[in-house]
Amino acid sequence: MGKIISLANQKGGVGKTTTAINLAASLATLGKKVLLIDADPQANASSGLGIDIRSLEFTIYECLIDDVPPTQAIHPTAVENLYILPSHIDLVGAEIEMLNMDNRERVMKNILTPLKSLYDYLLIDCSPSLGLITVNALTASDSVIIPVQCEYFALEGISKLLNTIKIIKSRLNTALEIEGFLLTMYDNRLRLANQVYAEVKKHFQGMVFESVIARNVRLSEAPSHGKPVLMYDSESKGSSNYMDLAKELIAKHKKVN
């Protein structure tokens, strides 16, 4: 049975979509069957995997609003074992359209639960907000990865996200766990980055992934070529960091199971 993991942080620019794309590609390269769900209206995870958004007949929007079966909207990618349920700018309006739906917080759960038997991992790239779509993603998920940027305001806003997770856990999804905090954009030459690293470790202890994502030019360049960093430059620091994270995640789940 597959595991649904959201990547969430309402603070933008923390490496959330970069992590979604590259963790998904690394897990697929390690032989896992992976579905990446792009739940962000900006659709960066879709374009970052080479999907031409303008040519799509169906996206996650149609699945949520028009009851289109997700199997009709899922596309293979250039990475073997990696599939994507793409997004579209229309998703911006979906929150308003979903307001009058019965069980509006569970629409995504109803779409994704039947897919769990088809994939090892289903990763949801959430938008940088705590709106209804993100609530849907967290309600559908088994766990959540929280990317944290190694910069000055890193911990600002995390308490808001943790509070949202707590509310969802108590009211909508009692099984929701925090998979881990992931430190991104780390530069070991900067004293501030090391201070943030130490502070996050002190705060969250064993909940922080051992793998850390270093600041890396190749990681920034890869999406403009529509490729995960593994395909763009497999020898890069970013590529090995995400491969380490994927191995850590797989090892963690083996232990639990």
Side-chain angles (χ1 to χ4, degrees):
M1 196 60 137
K3 184 160 192 179
I4 303 178
I5 304 174
S6 275
L7 290 103
N9 191 333
Q10 78 275 21
K11 192 172 182 294
V14 297
K16 187 174 47 57
T17 299
T18 300
T19 297
I21 291 171
N22 291 297
L23 175 57
S26 300
L27 287 166
T29 303
L30 291 167
K32 301 295 178 187
K33 196 175 178 191
V34 183
L35 175 65
L36 178 56
I37 299 109
D38 191 349
D40 184 344
Q42 293 173 76
N44 290 338
S46 305
S47 57
L49 281 173
I51 299 289
D52 179 5
I53 301 148
R54 292 159 305 183
S55 67
L56 298 174
E57 186 181 357
F58 299 125
T59 66
I60 190 168
Y61 171 82
E62 284 78 17
C63 298
L64 292 168
I65 303 301
D66 301 328
D67 291 331
V68 167
T71 46
Q72 288 187 30
I74 291 168
H75 291 259
T77 70
V79 181
E80 195 181 349
N81 291 325
L82 176 57
Y83 299 81
I84 185 159
L85 177 51
S87 184
H88 192 274
I89 190 69
D90 289 351
L91 198 59
V92 168
E95 303 215 337
I96 296 161
E97 294 177 68
M98 288 164 73
L99 284 175
N100 297 323
M101 288 185 181
D102 293 336
N103 259 343
R104 61 187 180 204
E105 296 91 355
R106 292 189 171 86
V107 182
M108 199 181 293
K109 184 182 175 77
N110 296 337
I111 291 167
L112 298 183
T113 302
L115 300 176
K116 285 178 83 170
S117 59
L118 304 177
Y119 299 92
D120 298 306
Y121 287 96
L122 299 92
L123 302 182
I124 308 176
D125 183 30
C126 298
S127 67
S129 76
L130 293 176
L132 186 55
I133 300 284
T134 299
V135 167
N136 259 267
L138 293 170
T139 303
S141 296
D142 298 302
S143 63
V144 53
I145 290 174
I146 303 170
V148 181
Q149 192 178 1
C150 289
E151 296 204 344
Y152 187 60
F153 292 114
L155 294 176
E156 206 180 65
I158 282 189
S159 58
K160 207 182 233 176
L161 176 61
L162 293 178
N163 195 42
T164 301
I165 290 168
K166 198 171 155 188
I167 291 166
I168 287 169
K169 206 172 153 71
S170 66
R171 296 183 191 168
L172 295 164
N173 181 4
T174 51
L176 184 65
E177 299 292 341
I178 292 174
E179 191 70 52
F181 292 85
L182 175 69
L183 289 151
T184 62
M185 302 179 200
Y186 177 68
D187 185 340
N188 62 1
R189 299 166 300 179
L190 300 178
R191 189 199 296 172
L192 178 63
N194 289 306
Q195 284 172 343
V196 171
Y197 179 82
E199 198 176 335
V200 173
K201 277 281 207 192
K202 191 177 86 180
H203 253 77
F204 301 110
Q205 297 169 347
M207 293 167 82
V208 183
F209 283 105
E210 289 298 325
S211 308
V212 173
I213 311 303
R215 198 174 275 286
N216 180 252
V217 176
R218 293 307 213 200
L219 270 179
S220 318
E221 292 172 350
S224 64
H225 296 266
K227 292 177 179 177
V229 73
L230 256 177
M231 289 180 76
Y232 180 63
D233 183 352
S234 62
E235 302 297 308
S236 67
K237 185 83 175 135
S239 183
S240 65
N241 286 165
Y242 277 111
M243 198 51 100
D244 288 345
L245 176 64
K247 287 174 183 169
E248 186 177 345
L249 194 64
I250 291 168
K252 187 179 173 187
H253 294 158
K254 263 188 193 154
K255 254 187 217 169
V256 173
N257 297 329

